[in-house]
């Protein structure tokens, strides 16, 4: 007797395999990257549900047309006011999933090929402005003497000293700052689990030491720059 052809996996099964197996086990991407892909998918599925009138569990690969993707990207820019860079990042997440699906559902190759034809959007990279050293020091030295003011003073010093991303600085723990004379540095954890150590200036070391004396309750695993609740600061905390 001839074998029955193997049924194509459902859209829901493909999404689950993509996040549970491919990104975490085969690609071994960082938790931050997976979270970004997940957030993009949540936005896309919510948009697709409202536009197609289908819940995510009833969707099929055939529903992911170039027209749907373009409408979603336009929605990100017009309704959610995303930048072109963010728009392209969401598209990159969708393209990654479609390329994965092409290996799991050969019968849908033509559909996937059409969807992959949606291009990224070109944009002009703006020239970055910058503060002079005197202007930067004026910003750093502006503090009101409060606990939050002293914390922000240390944060600005670390940002200026290291050139690190905001997320890298807010993620620093007390035990990751070395204040020994001649070997002072901070250990940073960047995107993609990249790690590096950056030397600290004497002025930065002095400020961090004063900050730790002000907070003797800090432990080695405590965030160096916590919010009012003692947790690591978020980007929103920094923006405010």
């Amino acid at each position: 007797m001839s074998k029955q052809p193997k049924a194509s996996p459902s859209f829901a099964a493909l999404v689950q395999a993509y996040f549970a197996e491919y990104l975490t086990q085969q690609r071994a991407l960082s938790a931050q990257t997976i979270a970004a892909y997940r957030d993009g998918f949540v936005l896309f599925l919510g948009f697709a549900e409202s536009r197609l009138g289908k819940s995510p569990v009833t969707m099929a690969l055939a529903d992911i047309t170039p027209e749907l993707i373009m409408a979603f990207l336009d929605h990100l820019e017009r309704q959610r006011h995303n930048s072109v860079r963010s728009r392209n990042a969401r598209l990159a997440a969708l393209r990654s999933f479609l390329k994965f699906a092409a290996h799991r559902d050969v019968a849908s190759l033509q559909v996937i090929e059409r969807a992959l034809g949606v291009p990224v959007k070109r944009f002009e990279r703006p020239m970055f402005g910058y503060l002079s050293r005197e202007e930067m020091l004026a910003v750093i030295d502006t503090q009101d003497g409060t606990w939050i003011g002293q914390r922000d003073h240390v944060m600005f010093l670390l940002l200026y000293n290291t050139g690190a991303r905001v997320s890298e600085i807010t993620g620093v723990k007390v035990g990751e700052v070395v204040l020994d004379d001649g070997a002072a540095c901070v250990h940073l954890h960047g995107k993609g689990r990249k790690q590096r150590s950056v030397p600290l200036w004497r002025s930065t070391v002095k400020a961090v030491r004063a900050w730790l004396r002000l907070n003797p309750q800090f432990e080695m695993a405590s965030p160096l720059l916590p919010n009012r609740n003692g947790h690591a600061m978020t980007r929103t905390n920094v923006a405010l």
Side-chain angles (χ1 to χ4, degrees):
M1 295 179 63
S2 59
K3 294 182 178 180
Q4 292 292 330
K6 187 177 181 180
S8 298
S10 66
F11 175 74
L14 286 170
V15 173
Q16 182 176 359
Y18 175 69
F19 283 98
E21 300 174 19
Y22 181 68
L23 294 183
T24 57
Q25 299 176 24
Q26 297 180 34
R27 292 286 307 281
L29 297 181
S30 67
Q32 292 87 347
T33 301
I34 294 175
Y37 279 33
R38 178 201 62 211
D39 293 344
F41 242 86
V42 170
L43 290 173
F44 175 71
L45 292 176
F47 175 81
E49 182 173 10
S50 64
R51 189 174 181 88
L52 302 176
K54 292 184 176 182
S55 65
V57 296
T58 61
M59 282 185 61
L61 276 177
D63 294 319
I64 306 181
T65 62
E67 294 75 21
L68 177 64
I69 295 176
M70 289 298 298
F72 169 63
L73 298 176
D74 187 63
H75 164 75
L76 293 179
E77 288 193 80
R78 295 178 181 274
Q79 274 68 53
R80 296 185 61 85
H81 307 292
N82 284 181
S83 66
V84 176
R85 191 187 299 272
S86 296
R87 169 200 184 277
N88 288 341
R90 301 304 190 195
L91 176 58
L94 287 175
R95 288 171 61 89
S96 172
F97 166 73
L98 290 169
K99 290 177 181 178
F100 162 80
H103 293 280
R104 297 292 183 98
D105 187 0
V106 179
S108 299
L109 281 179
Q110 187 174 14
V111 171
I112 294 172
E113 181 184 27
R114 291 188 64 241
L116 287 173
V118 177
V120 297
K121 189 172 184 178
R122 295 179 178 274
F123 63 98
E124 293 185 3
R125 297 180 182 274
M127 292 293 292
F128 288 104
Y130 62 91
L131 299 177
S132 67
R133 183 175 185 276
E134 292 71 24
E135 291 171 331
M136 192 67 229
L137 291 177
V139 172
I140 292 173
D141 291 337
T142 301
Q143 54 175 310
D144 54 14
T146 63
W147 185 87
I148 290 179
Q150 294 182 65
R151 179 202 64 188
D152 292 348
H153 173 66
V154 174
M155 178 183 68
F156 286 133
L157 259 177
L158 285 170
L159 286 168
Y160 186 45
N161 184 160
T162 63
R165 296 181 177 87
V166 169
S167 58
E168 292 177 315
I169 293 300
T170 56
V172 171
K173 295 180 171 54
V174 173
E176 294 170 334
V177 183
V178 179
L179 302 176
D180 300 335
D181 293 334
C185 67
V186 58
H187 303 303
L188 300 174
H189 303 274
K191 295 177 66 176
R193 292 191 291 269
K194 295 178 181 177
Q195 301 183 30
R196 67 187 189 281
S197 298
V198 181
L200 295 178
W201 303 330
R202 285 194 295 271
S203 58
T204 307
V205 171
K206 181 179 178 181
V208 174
R209 283 175 174 166
W211 174 244
L212 293 178
R213 285 197 298 270
L214 182 66
N215 296 278
Q217 76 279 10
F218 285 178
E219 299 178 353
M220 296 297 282
S222 300
L224 178 67
L225 302 168
N227 58 24
R228 292 185 179 90
N229 298 321
H231 304 299
M233 295 175 68
T234 64
R235 294 184 67 90
T236 302
N237 294 147
V238 176
L240 295 176

